[in-house]
Amino acid sequence: MNTRFLKQHKPDNLMRGCVLLCLFFSFYIISAKAQDSNRDTLISEIEQIKKSENFSNKDTLYINNLLALAKEYRYHNLDSLWILGKKSLDLSKKAKFINGEINSYHALGGYYSDKGKIDQAIEYFTKAYNLANSHESHFLKARTLNDLAKEYGYKGEYSNALKWYLATIEIAEQHDFKNIISIVNDNIAHLYLEQKDYEQAMVFLQKSKSIHEEIGNPVFLAETLSNIASTYADMNELDYAMYNINISIATFEKERILEWLAYCYEIKGKIYLKKNKNTWALYWYKQSELLHQEIEDDRGKIDLLNGMTEAYLNLENDSIAEVYATDAFDLSKKIGLRSGIKNSTHKLSKIFKNKKDFEKSLWYHEIYQATYESLSATNNEKALNMLKTRVAYDQQKQQLILDNEKALAEQKIYIYVFIVILFIFAIITFLIHRNEQEQKKLNLELRNKKTDLEEKQAYLNELNQTKNKLFSIIGHDLRGPIGAFQGLLKLFKEGEMTKDEFLNFVPKLKVDIDTISFTLNNLLSWGQTQMNGSITKHSVTNLDCIVEENIALLSEIAEAKSISLVNRIEPNCQIWSDPNQIDIIIRNLLSNALKFTPNNGQIVIGAIQKIKTCEIYVKDNGMGMTEDIISKLFEKDSNHTTYGTNNEKGTGLGLSLCKEMVEKNNGKIWVHSALGKGSSFYFTIPRLQKQYKESA
């Protein structure tokens, strides 16, 4: 690819946000890898050629690959460009390979040009041109003449530059080298831009654009569009500038051409600078600066540094502006770029004036003035006026500009209409989506409310069943004994029963009152569990004490039936539980055992201490139970009750209450029984572990 003039004419960029920066780094890495891949492919091909049996370093394919590799290293590794250029030149001379020799001189000229050694670059480009001219290599001659003219332009010798550009156009038009014609038109436009004659520059750029649209190469078109964007920016036609540079950036990002992409980022920074959006300008300048770390393009970097200087000056950050301006000045002196010296010294003069360092400000201003006058010399202006006369006959070029601008304006209208339609569609889509989300949300709320209502209804039904059961128990199991007691008292009070007769009923009354008390305790405990009002409070519990208390409480009932109560629980057997709930469990199990054990029977209560739990059992040699009865014992809603050996009656609450309280204390309960052989009830409770003792 032939590099165009506006490698000279750039700025740089900062700020868009972390997401864009991450995307840029991704592209940056991929681009570098892509170019490394091209070089690796060429190196691999060179190695394969060298390994072939008939290899000769005079092989033209081998030399062409060396030159292609040298071209890949330009803007990336100038030292490698120099080494490969020298090697291909020596081999081409030995092989008498003229095209190789011409291209080698051209590669070395490019090396010196990028190093800023313009005289040496002119020397090598001249050798390439003379050799191409003597051997009628028209394409190479035209390409070399263009680069030779460009070097004179870098020196500020616009007359010589124009002379060689016109000669290049003449050769290219004769042989229909359309791409070279477009490149030269770009470069001639640069001469006008240096004189700030933007309209005349745009004539040549639009001609170049038309040629590339005809050729259909998107990369070449993007190069010209980037130059057009820069020119529009200088003309303060910033919307046109932004439109063209965005197209160029998209192409170069897709093709991963770093040197042109760095230039385009700089132009975009310049556009934002013209808009006085200095933060955005610095964002894009910084993007270009990052790419310049990957490429070697000092000439392109100078305008970048000057652009960054101006942005920081606008932000009143003179200290950073001074750093960039000094770098631009030093780099311009290094490569002898007078336009760069002019721009950087003008800014440095302003910076030092702001710092009240008038001596340095004056020194830089004098350098600026001398450089400006030399660039604006009369002979350069006359040469450009002669070119105006040469192209005056082609009035249709002006019409082309108007047509293009009109087409662009129409295109923008279509774009705006499309954006409006797209925006309306997006709003409609958003509203539909939002309505769907609202509908889903409402449906979810309805489902949740339905679930809540169903749960509350189930809970109310359960409470209602609990209430009915309580009333049933109170009505049938408590009203009878209380009614009998009231009847006795009434008979005694009214004198229908003597004192002795009443005293004969006292033992029976005591049994009834104990039964009522026991039943009420169970009712209260069970009611609390059903109403979610029972709270389990774990603590260190001495099991032996609870058992002894309940044996003492039930001893009269046991004595009445001549039943022996045997306590086999070891003293100081401690468990981690709610002592009140354990008390209720033991009392119910002992009460049941007494109820279903015949006279002269035996009830044994004991505990087996395991590693983590204590297994407590209550065994009797009473009536026993069938499997059908056992399966219903611990059911929560079971009302199953049977009469004891002496027709004792219960509420049917005891065992379901025991199960609930055992589980609240992290244990489980079960029973082994056989009809006529007695029953054994077991339940487990966590033992008092070491950590519980320490915390206690």
Side-chain angles (χ1 to χ4, degrees):
M1 180 193 76
N2 288 297
T3 55
R4 300 172 180 266
F5 79 89
L6 270 150
K7 285 289 192 162
Q8 281 186 323
H9 207 301
K10 310 177 192 174
D12 210 329
N13 334 47
L14 180 61
M15 204 115 216
R16 205 192 246 188
C18 294
V19 174
L20 286 176
L21 194 57
C22 291
L23 291 173
F24 170 76
F25 281 138
S26 299
F27 167 77
Y28 180 89
I29 293 168
I30 292 171
S31 301
K33 287 184 177 178
Q35 292 178 327
D36 288 342
S37 176
N38 292 338
R39 290 195 285 270
D40 292 342
T41 300
L42 287 168
I43 292 170
S44 177
E45 290 176 1
I46 290 169
E47 291 300 320
Q48 288 179 0
I49 293 171
K50 289 173 70 175
K51 291 178 181 178
S52 62
E53 293 181 359
N54 300 322
F55 170 71
S56 169
N57 55 16
K58 296 179 182 180
D59 186 346
T60 56
L61 179 60
Y62 173 67
I63 295 171
N64 281 332
N65 276 331
L66 289 178
L67 287 166
L69 184 59
K71 181 180 176 182
E72 286 293 323
Y73 277 117
R74 189 173 184 186
Y75 303 115
H76 298 281
N77 191 325
L78 291 178
D79 291 338
S80 296
L81 169 62
W82 164 256
I83 293 169
L84 290 168
K86 287 292 290 182
K87 184 174 183 179
S88 60
L89 178 60
D90 294 338
L91 295 177
S92 296
K93 286 181 177 179
K94 291 178 182 178
K96 296 182 180 179
F97 179 36
I98 300 302
N99 281 359
E101 192 173 348
I102 295 169
N103 284 318
S104 298
Y105 282 129
H106 189 272
L108 293 169
Y111 165 81
Y112 283 114
S113 176
D114 292 346
K115 283 289 187 180
K117 299 179 179 180
I118 297 174
D119 290 333
Q120 290 94 323
I122 290 174
E123 177 185 349
Y124 277 94
F125 284 132
T126 301
K127 288 180 180 180
Y129 168 73
N130 291 335
L131 194 58
N133 188 41
S134 62
H135 288 81
E136 297 297 313
S137 298
H138 300 297
F139 180 82
L140 294 178
K141 182 168 66 172
R143 187 184 71 171
T144 306
L145 267 181
N146 173 67
D147 287 326
L148 188 60
K150 190 164 54 177
E151 296 305 313
Y152 282 113
Y154 292 153
K155 289 185 71 175
E157 296 179 13
Y158 295 162
S159 296
N160 284 329
L162 178 59
K163 179 180 71 174
W164 291 117
Y165 281 139
L166 292 175
T168 304
I169 287 179
E170 185 176 351
I171 297 169
E173 287 178 344
Q174 287 175 359
H175 300 279
D176 199 27
F177 299 147
K178 291 183 179 179
N179 188 48
I180 290 181
I181 294 172
S182 71
I183 292 172
V184 175
N185 276 305
D186 279 5
N187 292 344
I188 291 174
H190 176 61
L191 299 180
Y192 282 102
L193 289 175
E194 287 294 322
Q195 300 297 318
K196 302 191 184 304
D197 190 343
Y198 303 122
E199 269 114 28
Q200 194 62 35
M202 190 61 77
V203 171
F204 288 95
L205 289 172
Q206 292 292 353
K207 180 177 180 180
S208 177
K209 176 185 174 184
S210 298
I211 293 171
H212 284 312
E213 287 175 340
E214 181 183 346
I215 295 172
N217 187 310
V219 173
F220 293 159
L221 178 60
E223 292 171 0
T224 295
L225 289 179
S226 63
N227 295 335
I228 289 174
S230 179
T231 305
Y232 272 132
D234 291 330
M235 296 169 69
N236 284 318
E237 297 284 350
L238 302 180
D239 289 338
Y240 290 145
M242 188 65 76
Y243 173 81
N244 284 280
I245 202 62
N246 285 337
I247 295 174
S248 300
I249 287 174
T251 301
F252 294 132
E253 285 182 343
K254 180 180 178 182
E255 299 298 330
R256 303 184 179 109
I257 303 173
L258 295 189
E259 57 272 23
W260 276 98
L261 188 58
Y263 168 59
C264 287
Y265 285 158
E266 180 217 342
I267 295 302
K268 195 161 184 176
K270 181 169 75 172
I271 294 168
Y272 278 113
L273 194 65
K274 292 276 187 177
K275 289 184 174 185
N276 201 29
K277 295 182 178 180
N278 298 289
T279 303
W280 279 101
L282 284 171
Y283 169 81
W284 289 105
Y285 282 145
K286 286 293 183 183
Q287 306 290 53
S288 181
E289 188 179 44
L290 284 171
L291 287 178
H292 274 286
Q293 295 174 7
E294 178 69 12
I295 62 177
E296 292 186 41
D297 184 11
D298 290 342
R299 187 173 290 110
K301 193 174 181 180
I302 290 170
D303 282 333
L304 166 64
L305 295 172
N306 280 324
M308 295 181 78
T309 301
E310 187 171 348
Y312 279 117
L313 279 173
N314 292 343
L315 292 171
E316 298 182 354
N317 196 334
D318 288 9
S319 57
I320 298 179
E322 181 182 347
V323 173
Y324 281 103
T326 303
D327 289 346
F329 177 65
D330 293 338
L331 200 55
S332 299
K333 286 196 301 180
K334 175 185 172 184
I335 65 175
L337 186 65
R338 291 195 294 169
S339 60
I341 293 172
K342 179 192 73 173
N343 292 333
S344 59
T345 52
H346 183 262
K347 292 176 176 61
L348 284 167
S349 176
K350 181 179 178 180
I351 290 168
F352 283 104
K353 183 179 179 181
N354 292 341
K355 292 174 67 175
K356 308 298 183 183
D357 190 343
F358 298 109
E359 183 177 352
K360 278 190 176 181
S361 176
L362 179 60
W363 185 73
Y364 280 115
H365 180 74
E366 288 174 347
I367 297 174
Y368 161 75
Q369 193 65 35
T371 309
Y372 176 80
E373 289 174 359
S374 67
L375 288 172
S376 304
T378 306
N379 61 331
N380 289 329
E381 294 180 356
K382 286 183 177 180
L384 294 175
N385 287 331
M386 289 172 59
L387 183 59
K388 284 184 183 180
T389 303
R390 171 182 169 82
V391 298
Y393 71 93
D394 196 2
Q395 295 297 326
Q396 64 181 7
K397 296 176 184 178
Q398 294 289 343
Q399 187 62 43
L400 178 62
I401 295 174
L402 295 175
D403 291 342
N404 284 338
E405 291 183 350
K406 183 178 179 181
L408 181 61
E410 291 176 354
Q411 189 176 21
K412 286 179 70 175
I413 292 172
Y414 292 138
I415 290 171
Y416 291 148
V417 171
F418 175 75
I419 290 172
V420 170
I421 294 172
L422 187 63
F423 180 70
I424 293 171
F425 177 75
I427 291 174
I428 294 171
T429 303
F430 171 75
L431 291 174
I432 292 172
H433 177 71
R434 189 177 68 176
N435 288 338
E436 288 177 351
Q437 294 299 318
E438 289 292 332
Q439 190 65 40
K440 288 179 181 179
K441 185 178 179 182
L442 289 173
N443 290 338
L444 180 61
E445 289 179 358
L446 286 173
R447 284 196 296 270
N448 291 337
K449 288 179 178 178
K450 181 182 177 183
T451 303
D452 290 342
L453 286 173
E454 289 173 349
E455 290 176 354
K456 289 177 180 178
Q457 184 178 2
Y459 177 69
L460 289 173
N461 289 337
E462 186 176 348
L463 290 179
N464 197 42
Q465 290 174 4
T466 300
K467 176 204 70 173
N468 292 338
K469 189 169 184 179
L470 283 170
F471 285 149
S472 174
I473 292 168
I474 292 168
H476 292 86
D477 297 332
L478 295 181
R479 188 169 62 183
I482 292 172
F485 184 54
Q486 285 177 330
L488 284 172
L489 289 174
K490 182 178 180 182
L491 289 172
F492 180 73
K493 181 180 178 182
E494 292 176 353
E496 295 182 13
M497 180 182 290
T498 66
K499 181 177 181 182
D500 292 335
E501 288 174 335
F502 180 78
L503 291 175
N504 288 334
F505 280 101
V506 168
K508 176 67 170 63
L509 289 174
K510 184 179 184 305
V511 172
D512 287 345
I513 290 171
D514 288 343
T515 301
I516 292 169
S517 176
F518 185 75
T519 301
L520 283 173
N521 282 334
N522 275 355
L523 278 174
L524 290 172
S525 298
W526 179 77
Q528 280 188 320
T529 62
Q530 296 304 300
M531 302 294 185
N532 297 320
S534 176
I535 300 174
T536 301
K537 297 181 180 179
H538 293 88
S539 65
V540 177
T541 303
N542 194 320
L543 182 62
D544 180 52
C545 292
I546 293 176
V547 170
E548 285 295 334
E549 288 174 0
N550 278 283
I551 288 174
L553 182 66
L554 300 171
S555 61
E556 289 187 20
I557 299 173
E559 289 174 1
K561 296 179 73 173
S562 300
I563 297 172
S564 63
L565 293 172
V566 181
N567 181 6
R568 291 182 179 173
I569 294 176
E570 298 177 1
N572 297 321
C573 177
Q574 294 180 325
I575 56 176
W576 183 254
S577 65
D578 185 320
N580 293 326
Q581 293 178 354
I582 297 299
D583 182 57
I584 292 170
I585 296 166
I586 296 295
R587 190 178 310 158
N588 272 281
L589 292 178
L590 286 176
S591 179
N592 273 357
L594 287 168
K595 177 180 173 183
F596 296 106
T597 301
N599 294 344
N600 301 312
Q602 185 184 57
I603 298 172
V604 179
I605 181 166
I608 302 170
Q609 298 191 51
K610 298 183 178 180
I611 296 175
K612 292 185 178 180
T613 61
C614 183
E615 184 179 293
I616 304 161
Y617 60 84
V618 177
K619 298 181 180 180
D620 64 63
N621 56 359
M623 297 166 55
M625 294 175 286
T626 63
E627 289 295 327
D628 184 55
I629 294 174
I630 291 172
S631 66
K632 298 177 181 178
L633 283 180
F634 298 111
E635 291 181 1
K636 183 176 181 182
D637 298 324
S638 174
N639 290 321
H640 177 76
T641 182
T642 56
Y643 289 91
T645 56
N646 289 349
N647 292 321
E648 301 98 330
K649 187 181 179 184
T651 63
L653 289 177
L655 291 177
S656 63
L657 182 62
C658 288
K659 183 176 184 296
E660 289 182 19
M661 290 188 172
V662 166
E663 290 175 351
K664 283 179 176 289
N665 285 275
N666 303 315
K668 56 183 179 178
I669 188 169
W670 67 98
V671 61
H672 294 155
S673 181
L675 196 61
K677 295 183 180 180
S679 301
S680 298
F681 285 84
Y682 299 85
F683 68 94
T684 59
I685 296 295
R687 284 189 63 191
L688 177 63
Q689 300 295 315
K690 184 178 180 181
Q691 60 265 37
Y692 297 145
K693 291 181 180 180
E694 290 174 352
S695 64

